[in-house]
């Protein structure tokens, strides 16, 4: 497999990052301490390189109708400037990827424009799938992933940090930007697209920037944030943060072998929209059968009653009988006890149910709890 490097690779090397492969990309796992990076995001701020994510622009008179067909959600109902979390599914209802789509201002009358952001390892697959599904629509599908970097500022101080790089006359754009919305603003002297989204459970912003300008923006953010506790953070902290926030990771909680209802993402699927969409018939049948709600398996949170943590692929047992499998798990730095997500048989998915996780031959007691494990104080 070809190794990919983001435009910020040299910045990470200079900062002493340890690297790991993620979706074919060499990404910083941590810089000094993943625990320190985790706590920085919860209490101050963390700076993340998300340039491995994809950016696919969908533009044209049929853009809204096309995305209604290509994705499980109703993208035509998204207001300009807002965003929607959705799924792109197989014909059998399996999840190809979970993604965020931003509706941008129309470039001209009668033309709609969206930015679709797939996950790192799926970016090329999603771009190809969207192109193939667009055959009968008047749209242009442009994969801009290779020339686009994405930098995220996450944590309680993220708004204050961004304000230091935005001209005073645009401060209201930052302060008034709602969650799951995006706007163009001037940052560090450049007009850039900024979204108020994230994957950590904290307030934060994601900034789309051309590759050639990414290093300058990264350094500027670190410089203005240095006195406020902002530090670079890697994939290890991002994983522990998203787990505490109960957010699924593709390849762990989500895959082509999982459907939206089992994953607890039923509300993301719009069976009521007028148009047909890829996977609609299969998903309607799954919902009618009750898969993920009354039969089959369901994604749940697990809270450890001891000190030992569950890990991905560990068996979940009930009275010695296999009833599920852990998808993600580790000690929670914020909460102080082990947490995990797992698929378990529906009859054991009710919060308050106790199960055991086989920790390499030794059963450990866990309690089924509602997700997320952690919610920030707003």
């Amino acid at each position: 497999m070809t190794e990919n490097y983001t435009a910020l690779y040299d910045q990470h090397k200079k900062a002493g990052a340890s690297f790991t492969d993620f979706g074919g990309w060499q990404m910083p796992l941590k810089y000094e301490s993943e625990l320190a990076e985790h706590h920085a995001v919860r209490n101050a701020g963390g700076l993340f390189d998300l340039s491995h994510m994809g950016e696919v622009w969908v533009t044209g008179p049929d853009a809204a109708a096309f995305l209604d067909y290509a994705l499980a959600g109703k993208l035509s109902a998204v207001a300009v400037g807002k965003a929607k979390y959705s799924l792109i599914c197989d014909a059998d209802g399996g999840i190809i990827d979970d993604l965020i789509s931003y509706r941008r201002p129309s470039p001209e009358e009668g033309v709609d424009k969206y930015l679709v952001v797939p996950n790192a390892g799926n970016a090329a697959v999603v771009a190809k799938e969207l192109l193939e599904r667009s055959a009968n629509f008047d749209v242009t599908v442009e994969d801009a992933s290779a020339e686009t970097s994405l930098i995220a500022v996450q944590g309680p101080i993220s708004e204050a940090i961004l304000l230091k790089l935005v001209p005073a006359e645009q401060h209201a754009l930052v302060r008034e930007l709602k969650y799951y919305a995006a706007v163009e603003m001037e940052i560090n002297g450049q007009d850039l697209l900024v979204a108020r989204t994230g994957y950590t459970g904290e307030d934060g912003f994601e900034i789309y920037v051309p590759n050639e300008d990414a290093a300058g923006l990264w350094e500027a953010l670190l410089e203005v944030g240095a006195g406020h506790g902002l530090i670079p953070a890697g994939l290890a902290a991002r994983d522990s943060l998203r787990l505490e926030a109960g957010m699924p990771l593709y390849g762990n909680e989500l895959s082509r072998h999982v459907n939206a209802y089992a994953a607890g993402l039923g509300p993301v699927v719009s069976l009521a929209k007028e148009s047909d969409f890829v996977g609609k018939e299969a998903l309607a049948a799954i919902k009618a059968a009750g898969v993920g709600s009354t039969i089959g398996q369901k994604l749940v949170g697990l809270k450890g009653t001891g000190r030992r943590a569950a890990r991905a692929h560990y068996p979940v047992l009930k009275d010695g009988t296999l009833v599920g499998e852990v998808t993600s798990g580790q000690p929670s730095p914020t909460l102080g006890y082990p947490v995990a997500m797992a698929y378990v048989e529906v009859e054991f998915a009710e919060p308050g149910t106790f199960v055991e996780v086989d920790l390499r031959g030794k059963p450990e007691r866990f309690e089924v709890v509602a997700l997320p494990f952690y919610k920030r104080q707003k």
Side-chain angles (χ1 to χ4, degrees), residues 155-164 174-175 196 203 205:
I157 65 166
S158 54
E159 181 179 291
I161 296 302
L162 199 57
L163 287 171
K164 291 181 177 294
V174 178
R175 294 194 177 102
R196 200 164 202 159
D203 187 22
F205 300 86

Side-chain angles (χ1 to χ4, degrees), residues 85-100:
Y85 176 78
S86 191
L87 304 171
I88 181 168
C89 298
D90 278 335
D92 64 2
I95 299 172
I96 296 174
D97 199 15
D98 63 328
L99 36 77
I100 297 177

